[in-house]
Amino acid sequence: MSHGGRTSRRSVLAGASAMLAAAGVPVVAPRAQTGADPLPSWNDGRAKQAILDFVHATTDPSSKDLVDPEDRIATFDQDGTLWIEHPIYVQAVFALDRVHALAPQHPEWRGREPFKSVLAGDMAAVAHFAEPQWLQIVGATHAGMSTERFEAIATAWIATARDHRFNRLYTDLVYQPMREAMDLLHANGFKVYIVTGGGQEFVRTYARRVYGIPPEQVVGSSIAVKYEMRDDGPILMREPRMFFNDDNAGKAIGINLFIGKRPYAAFGNSDGDREMLEWTGAGAGPRLKMLVHHDDAKREYAYGPGGGLPDTHVGRFSNALMTEATARGWNVISMKDDWRRVFAFE
Amino acid sequence: MSHGGRTSRRSVLAGASAMLAAAGVPVVAPRAQTGADPLPSWNDGRAKQAILDFVHATTDPSSKDLVDPEDRIATFDQDGTLWIEHPIYVQAVFALDRVHALAPQHPEWRGREPFKSVLAGDMAAVAHFAEPQWLQIVGATHAGMSTERFEAIATAWIATARDHRFNRLYTDLVYQPMREAMDLLHANGFKVYIVTGGGQEFVRTYARRVYGIPPEQVVGSSIAVKYEMRDDGPILMREPRMFFNDDNAGKAIGINLFIGKRPYAAFGNSDGDREMLEWTGAGAGPRLKMLVHHDDAKREYAYGPGGGLPDTHVGRFSNALMTEATARGWNVISMKDDWRRVFAFE
């Protein structure tokens, strides 16, 4: 089963049960029907019930809305949906750290924006960087090396980098309720994808270990690569230009491109996920559309409608998105009310 | 299990066995070790033995080269590797048929190349079309409609279109020995992908039914699509420009982009597969690199080195490729000598 390295034996076996059931072999006690609460980090409420009802409707053999296991696709945004994204995206922290690491080889950066502000530690300026600045930074830090070299650098970074507020590894700042939702869907025969605006190759370096998601189930933004035959064999050289922007409409396009099936369940948290939820919701039968609303300043952050943080480019949840969510009947998850705990370490 | 709708219960169960074995559950009698020949359409010889040896080396629990089930990836080119490609690619026949079907709405085509030659049935001219001509034809026949509409058109076409020489549905002109190789790999825990220079969305319309390969395991060339919100919901509109060319170096790039793992086995038949085999072969451990050589004018066609057919752009197997195959120790499959039968209907 391809769900990944950290998948427990229990969920591997649950996955095997789903397969055997699909092959017509009777299976006893599928996980969703056992007595244990499959979503213990969720408070009882509409959001939790929507997930449970959806799983029951799409997988119970007697359901009129039973979905063929082949078609059970669930997609999750990453930043702000599966893990923390404030005050800036984790991958942006990686890029800024790389600017510092590479600065000795680029003395000219001290006098040239956007590098100058980064090297001066001017985070107020960094917070206002727009796409052109970030493209320059990504070009300088994510390109000009082979895919293997990039993977090694990113893997080493994520193993030790810590969030300042929580003083935790970023990989510890995964939302436990969402891990449970992913596991519940997987255990019920859903193929679970991450569909992220972040870098596909960056997320792939830890997705298996952290989320149990293998590389081929990570769809993300990517830069162009070029095939080069060297003396010791071929490499894929990363080039400083965008190939695919997996955000906004790009999420619906990326889902079609990489998966070729319409999801039955989609989880997001920002305007960048709007088209993914629209595309999911446009399918026939039961479709689960969930949006995380960060309204918990105490345990995490409060931003978006009613939130106290300034509306920077990070994780923007606009009033227009909330209006659309209400109009289309999407489920808005209140981090404060719906999540019994936010992180596994709590 | 995601291998697809036509997958037999036997192979689903074999896949489940691989999973259970991966989870530490003892499994009796994996398929590769049963007495039945898993490749009955292959003659005994180096090519057949290379496949059997590879499967044994990578999946036998006592093998020093045992490959983690998570990493068992096999990739197959389609045209000329899984099914017939002469005298022109099947998808090109589809495109030409679409030009005829659309001609009444385009009276100007009668006086304008490349449409004029197509409508006149001048196949000698068509045989010499190069990329600019084909891009025009693809733009006129594969774009300007939603992905759903394209899928419906392609699905209807492939259900009835017949090859002239064999008077058979194209989907009957699949090479039976290759189906057996795909099934053997799948039954031994390999995730099997089609990696085609052809159109990804075209191949996806029949890949599950014909090869047992689900949409998310079809990597191919694609045109750009645009997300549009209509009154009755969102669509993805196909645009007349290339997005990704999954041929030559594009195959190694596409494998990295869509799968994110290096294949252990790769099957091709032409210069367009060279980089896929190089990329596969550059990995550590046992890697199976196979090239189909069409040297059977009687049962199919003879082209490439020693072949009698003119060297058009279709399925070019150059002398340089043969030289590289020899130098790198790739296995060249002689259709004439290695295949006991070519098609299932024989």
Side-chain angles (χ1 to χ4, degrees):
Chain A
M1 203 65 186
S2 54
H3 195 60
R6 249 190 60 179
T7 306
S8 68
R9 177 178 295 192
R10 184 181 59 167
S11 69
V12 168
L13 292 176
S17 298
M19 274 182 44
L20 295 171
V25 178
V27 175
V28 203
R31 182 177 170 187
Q33 292 170 17
T34 60
D37 182 352
L39 300 174
S41 298
W42 294 70
N43 288 317
D44 291 338
R46 282 200 304 178
K48 177 176 182 171
Q49 199 56 47
I51 299 172
L52 294 173
D53 289 349
F54 168 81
V55 170
H56 186 265
T58 53
T59 66
D60 186 285
S62 66
S63 167
K64 69 174 173 52
D65 291 322
L66 180 66
V67 174
D68 187 328
E70 284 289 329
D71 294 325
R72 294 182 194 168
I73 301 291
T75 56
F76 287 77
D77 168 56
Q78 185 190 224
D79 296 304
T81 299
L82 292 179
W83 75 355
I84 205 158
E85 68 178 353
H86 250 278
I88 62 173
Y89 298 124
V90 176
Q91 191 174 356
V93 182
F94 167 70
L96 299 180
D97 280 2
R98 291 300 301 160
V99 169
H100 285 282
L102 293 168
Q105 300 156 46
H106 295 276
E108 75 282 8
W109 284 356
R110 301 232 155 253
R112 214 180 80 202
E113 293 293 0
F115 305 101
K116 183 179 169 184
S117 292
V118 176
L119 293 174
D122 183 353
M123 293 308 286
V126 170
H128 288 92
F129 283 172
E131 193 161 312
Q133 284 80 42
W134 282 113
L135 281 178
Q136 280 189 72
I137 290 171
V138 166
T141 59
H142 285 58
M145 68 191 89
S146 72
T147 49
E148 287 182 339
R149 173 88 180 122
F150 177 77
E151 184 183 342
I153 292 170
T155 301
W157 184 84
I158 200 77
T160 58
R162 285 173 179 268
D163 174 84
H164 288 295
R165 171 174 161 193
F166 293 94
N167 192 28
R168 291 270 178 180
L169 295 178
Y170 288 110
T171 50
D172 288 340
L173 297 173
V174 167
Y175 306 134
Q176 180 61 18
M178 295 305 259
R179 270 308 311 260
E180 293 169 5
M182 295 173 97
D183 286 351
L184 175 65
L185 289 163
H186 174 60
N188 282 279
F190 281 83
K191 203 165 186 173
V192 177
Y193 285 80
I194 293 174
V195 177
T196 174
Q200 181 170 282
E201 298 228 56
F202 180 77
V203 178
R204 281 174 171 176
T205 62
Y206 56 82
R208 185 184 286 186
R209 175 171 64 84
V210 173
Y211 305 114
I213 301 291
E216 65 270 32
Q217 285 162 228
V218 176
V219 176
S221 299
S222 52
I223 59 177
V225 300
K226 187 161 176 276
Y227 185 88
E228 293 180 5
M229 181 56 86
R230 301 285 175 90
D231 286 345
D232 55 350
I235 63 164
L236 295 176
M237 176 61 77
R238 293 169 60 86
E239 303 204 306
R241 57 191 171 87
M242 284 297 291
F243 173 69
F244 181 60
N245 182 7
D246 190 61
D247 211 0
N248 303 104
K251 291 208 176 187
I253 293 167
I255 286 167
N256 183 63
L257 181 70
F258 283 80
I259 311 175
K261 298 169 178 170
R262 193 189 298 264
Y264 274 84
F267 293 72
N269 80 301
S270 78
D271 288 19
D273 302 311
R274 187 169 65 93
E275 288 84 352
M276 177 169 74
L277 268 66
E278 289 173 350
W279 184 247
T280 299
R287 307 275 171 168
L288 185 66
K289 294 86 59 185
M290 310 283 299
L291 279 174
V292 178
H293 182 204
H294 293 257
D295 58 359
D296 193 334
K298 196 170 159 203
R299 295 187 298 178
E300 204 239 16
Y301 294 101
Y303 52 100
L309 287 173
D311 189 15
T312 64
H313 67 288
V314 169
R316 180 182 162 83
F317 189 140
S318 66
N319 291 325
L321 181 66
M322 188 62 95
T323 302
E324 180 168 349
T326 304
R328 296 190 190 273
W330 298 346
N331 290 286
V332 176
I333 300 164
S334 162
M335 181 175 277
K336 178 160 56 72
D337 296 332
D338 286 315
W339 287 358
R340 182 165 295 167
R341 62 174 180 170
V342 176
F343 303 113
F345 57 77
E346 285 174 13
Chain B
M1 202 65 186
S2 54
H3 193 60
R6 251 191 56 180
T7 305
S8 68
R9 176 179 294 192
R10 185 180 59 169
S11 69
V12 168
L13 292 175
S17 298
M19 274 181 44
L20 295 171
V25 179
V27 175
V28 204
R31 182 178 171 187
Q33 293 170 17
T34 60
D37 182 352
L39 300 174
S41 297
W42 294 70
N43 289 317
D44 292 337
R46 280 200 304 179
K48 177 176 183 172
Q49 199 57 48
I51 299 172
L52 294 173
D53 289 349
F54 168 80
V55 170
H56 186 265
T58 53
T59 65
D60 186 285
S62 67
S63 168
K64 70 173 173 49
D65 291 321
L66 181 66
V67 174
D68 187 328
E70 284 288 330
D71 294 324
R72 294 182 194 167
I73 300 292
T75 56
F76 288 76
D77 167 57
Q78 186 191 221
D79 295 304
T81 298
L82 292 179
W83 76 354
I84 205 157
E85 68 178 352
H86 249 280
I88 63 172
Y89 298 124
V90 175
Q91 190 173 357
V93 182
F94 167 71
L96 299 180
D97 280 3
R98 292 299 302 159
V99 170
H100 285 282
L102 294 168
Q105 300 157 46
H106 295 276
E108 75 281 10
W109 283 357
R110 303 232 156 252
R112 214 179 80 203
E113 293 295 359
F115 305 101
K116 183 180 169 184
S117 292
V118 175
L119 294 173
D122 183 352
M123 293 307 288
V126 170
H128 288 92
F129 283 173
E131 193 161 311
Q133 283 79 43
W134 281 112
L135 281 178
Q136 280 188 73
I137 290 172
V138 166
T141 59
H142 285 58
M145 68 191 90
S146 72
T147 49
E148 287 181 341
R149 173 88 180 120
F150 177 77
E151 184 183 342
I153 292 171
T155 301
W157 183 85
I158 200 78
T160 58
R162 285 173 178 267
D163 174 83
H164 288 294
R165 171 173 161 192
F166 293 94
N167 192 28
R168 291 270 177 180
L169 295 177
Y170 288 111
T171 49
D172 288 339
L173 297 172
V174 166
Y175 306 133
Q176 179 62 17
M178 296 306 259
R179 271 307 312 262
E180 293 169 5
M182 296 173 98
D183 287 351
L184 175 65
L185 289 164
H186 174 59
N188 281 280
F190 281 83
K191 202 166 189 175
V192 177
Y193 285 80
I194 293 174
V195 177
T196 175
Q200 182 169 284
E201 298 228 56
F202 180 77
V203 178
R204 281 174 171 176
T205 62
Y206 55 82
R208 186 186 285 186
R209 176 171 62 86
V210 173
Y211 304 114
I213 301 291
E216 66 269 32
Q217 285 161 229
V218 176
V219 176
S221 299
S222 51
I223 59 177
V225 300
K226 187 161 176 278
Y227 184 88
E228 293 180 7
M229 182 55 87
R230 301 285 175 91
D231 286 345
D232 55 350
I235 63 163
L236 295 176
M237 176 61 77
R238 294 169 59 87
E239 303 206 305
R241 57 191 171 87
M242 284 296 292
F243 173 71
F244 181 59
N245 182 7
D246 190 60
D247 210 0
N248 304 104
K251 292 209 174 187
I253 293 167
I255 286 168
N256 183 64
L257 181 71
F258 283 80
I259 312 175
K261 298 171 179 170
R262 192 188 298 265
Y264 274 83
F267 293 72
N269 80 302
S270 78
D271 288 19
D273 302 311
R274 185 169 67 94
E275 288 84 353
M276 176 169 74
L277 269 66
E278 288 173 349
W279 184 247
T280 299
R287 307 274 171 169
L288 185 66
K289 293 86 58 185
M290 310 283 299
L291 279 175
V292 177
H293 182 204
H294 293 256
D295 58 358
D296 193 334
K298 197 171 158 202
R299 294 187 297 178
E300 205 240 15
Y301 294 101
Y303 52 99
L309 287 173
D311 188 16
T312 66
H313 67 288
V314 169
R316 181 182 162 83
F317 189 140
S318 66
N319 290 324
L321 181 66
M322 188 63 94
T323 301
E324 179 168 350
T326 305
R328 295 191 190 273
W330 298 347
N331 289 286
V332 176
I333 300 164
S334 162
M335 181 175 277
K336 179 160 54 74
D337 297 332
D338 286 315
W339 287 359
R340 183 165 296 168
R341 62 174 180 170
V342 175
F343 303 113
F345 58 78
E346 285 175 12

